[in-house]
Amino acid sequence: DAKTTQPNSMESNEEEPVHLPCNHSTISGTDYIHWYRQLPSQGPEYVIHGLTSNVNNRMASLAIAEDRKSSTLILHRATLRDAAVYYCILREPQGGSEKLVFGKGTKLTVNP
Amino acid sequence: DTAVSQTPKYLVTQMGNDKSIKCEQNLGHDTMYWYKQDSKKFLKIMFSYNNKELIINETVPNRFSPKSPDKAHLNLHINSLELGDSAVYFCASSPTSVEKLFFGSGTQLSVL
């Protein structure tokens, strides 16, 4: 079901920037790109979303390629608390609503 | 106060039993969901309700029956539990069916 491709795992050092890539070559014109993360033993948590333009919030930045076939989640300064599985998701319309279809995600390890 | 709360957090039971998982959200959201995360950590949507009305019903065995007594609650009842039902079940809510989701902390179900 998932229409996104992400690396299985990535590593980063504390206080360094992290760039998490996501490919979504079959994205349609109306699909929003969403990112969620799941910390160990917790439910997923919303991080950020966008359609065409780059987006910033207090948690992260989202850079979207001009052709929208890929995007990158940027954590500007990784902390140990950012260690989690990060999911890149395209929201799929269904029956007037939408559903989140999660892929495998990228497991981010942050080294002290 | 927890925004989306699930009970119980852990549930251990025998094959063939019937059990329920309760979910409540105090965010005033209209839409609620149940997701299942299996041992391989894949998160899959099961059901979605909007204002107590079922709007998404994925291919889930009819032993699983969601019940929404009001828009703040979405309970999941499972009949005749099987070993394969062992997983973590997450409840979530969103303001509408097209906005970001808020997840509960999960219910770990173990069927012996």
Side-chain angles (χ1 to χ4, degrees), chain A residues 36 38 42-44 46 87 91 94 96-100 102 104, chain B residues 35 37 41-43 55-56 58 90 97-101 103-104:
Chain A
Y36 282 72
Q38 187 173 18
Q42 293 189 30
Y46 169 82
Y87 297 98
R91 293 205 70 156
Q94 178 170 339
S97 67
E98 297 181 346
K99 64 178 182 177
L100 290 181
F102 286 79
K104 296 180 183 180
Chain B
Y35 276 79
Q37 187 166 40
K41 304 296 184 185
F42 287 112
L43 263 164
I55 53 173
I56 293 176
E58 291 295 288
F90 288 99
S97 59
V98 297
E99 295 181 59
K100 68 181 183 184
L101 272 63
F103 283 82

Side-chain angles (χ1 to χ4, degrees), chain A:
Chain A
D1 280 317
K3 297 178 180 177
T4 62
T5 304
Q6 299 175 253
N8 287 336
S9 61
M10 290 185 65
E11 267 193 59
S12 171
N13 295 321
E14 208 175 0
E15 300 199 2
E16 289 184 357
V18 182
H19 291 233
L20 297 163
C22 180
N23 287 321
H24 28 78
S25 57
T26 60
I27 192 171
S28 73
T30 55
D31 283 345
Y32 278 80
I33 302 156
H34 286 248
W35 284 81
Y36 282 72
R37 71 180 186 181
Q38 187 173 18
L39 279 64
S41 301
Q42 293 189 30
E45 172 189 34
Y46 169 82
V47 177
I48 201 167
H49 77 281
L51 183 62
T52 56
S53 305
N54 294 344
V55 185
N56 299 298
N57 67 20
R58 63 174 181 80
M59 288 181 74
S61 295
L62 177 60
I64 301 173
E66 200 169 329
D67 63 5
R68 302 208 327 124
K69 295 189 176 186
S70 65
S71 61
T72 303
L73 179 71
I74 303 164
L75 307 178
H76 294 286
R77 289 183 64 195
T79 69
L80 296 178
R81 292 176 61 184
D82 291 322
V85 178
Y86 287 79
Y87 297 98
C88 168
I89 301 159
L90 303 182
R91 293 205 70 156
E92 300 183 10
Q94 178 170 339
S97 67
E98 297 181 346
K99 64 178 182 177
L100 290 181
V101 178
F102 286 79
K104 296 180 183 180
T106 297
K107 183 175 182 179
L108 176 66
T109 301
V110 180
N111 301 313

Side-chain angles (χ1 to χ4, degrees), chain B residues 34-96:
Chain B
W34 277 107
Y35 276 79
K36 177 182 179 181
Q37 187 166 40
D38 61 24
S39 57
K40 294 184 180 177
K41 304 296 184 185
F42 287 112
L43 263 164
K44 299 188 99 171
I45 189 169
M46 301 173 69
F47 302 103
S48 171
Y49 269 72
N50 189 55
N51 269 321
K52 303 195 299 174
E53 183 181 339
L54 181 67
I55 53 173
I56 293 176
N57 184 349
E58 291 295 288
T59 309
V60 177
N62 56 16
R63 298 182 295 105
F64 290 78
S65 53
K67 292 222 172 20
S68 182
D70 55 62
K71 75 173 194 178
H73 295 85
L74 180 62
N75 303 323
L76 183 66
H77 189 76
I78 316 169
N79 289 328
S80 303
L81 278 155
E82 300 178 358
L83 293 176
D85 297 332
S86 296
V88 181
Y89 292 83
F90 288 99
C91 178
S93 73
S94 60
T96 66

